[in-house]
Amino acid sequence: MNFKNFFVNEEKEFDELKKLIYSTFHFGRTFPEQVFEEEYKHFKFEEFDWTMSDEFWTTLKKLATKSKDDFVLVAVLEPNPEEYFYKEFQYYNWIKMPVWIDEDDYYDILEFGPKESPADAVLYNSSVMIWLSPSLEWAIWGEREFGVCVIAFNDTAVENKLIPDLITWHTLDDTVLAWIEMNFRNQRLYQKNIQALKINYTDNK
């Protein structure tokens, strides 16, 4: 299997996928800011490192099947896909991950890097990432610096349909805060971020 075939390499396709991302996320924002567009709510968190595992792909496949998506867009936002990655390697660090691949394939594709720079594989060089349903029913944002990712849904009916597959995910509770705290040595910085996260990611149902 040629893993490079799953990566976006044409500017036209990249621009079309970017439109989907722009309709879902606020480009230029990062945690603790609100990164989702207004219609996305009902937030749940998991550990960032888990997103690189085969178990995470099992969850994504279930979500994609229920939302009738043929693939999941796995896209790195930092480092910059255009100004850095495409400029250096002539393709984008964005992956159209088809739902038919298995768990080992998911990990292997993430570990696939440019021949001249294996360390630039998504598995290793991805500070900010998204996992997006092409139907836009659900979206996931993750940041390595904070150690977490967050899923959001575009309406309550979608959340109710998908929530059985998110058993390990948490609302912004003490468990999530502990995950985040481990990434900050400066307690004041941590507390400032936590307050902002609570404002932006606590559901008011």
Side-chain angles (χ1 to χ4, degrees), residues 63-156:
L63 297 179
T65 299
K66 288 187 177 181
S67 55
K68 296 182 172 57
D69 291 309
D70 295 327
F71 69 92
V72 176
L73 176 62
V74 181
V76 178
L77 303 186
E78 291 293 339
N80 190 285
E82 297 174 275
E83 296 174 8
Y84 173 68
F85 204 89
Y86 187 85
K87 181 179 179 181
E88 294 292 328
F89 309 115
Q90 291 71 60
Y91 68 101
Y92 301 96
N93 47 359
W94 290 15
I95 310 164
K96 292 174 67 175
M97 204 79 77
V99 295
W100 53 262
I101 67 169
D102 63 26
E103 289 76 8
D104 289 337
D105 291 333
Y106 174 75
Y107 184 89
D108 289 342
I109 294 170
L110 294 181
E111 195 178 29
F112 177 85
K115 288 184 179 179
E116 58 271 50
S117 183
D120 277 297
V122 172
L123 185 68
Y124 309 119
N125 193 10
S126 47
S127 300
V128 180
M129 291 184 64
I130 62 98
W131 295 258
L132 181 61
S133 152
S135 62
L136 303 183
E137 288 195 354
W138 53 269
I140 300 171
W141 177 282
E143 292 190 35
R144 195 181 293 271
E145 180 183 10
F146 275 73
V148 295
C149 63
V150 57
I151 189 170
F153 312 92
N154 62 7
D155 64 47
T156 303

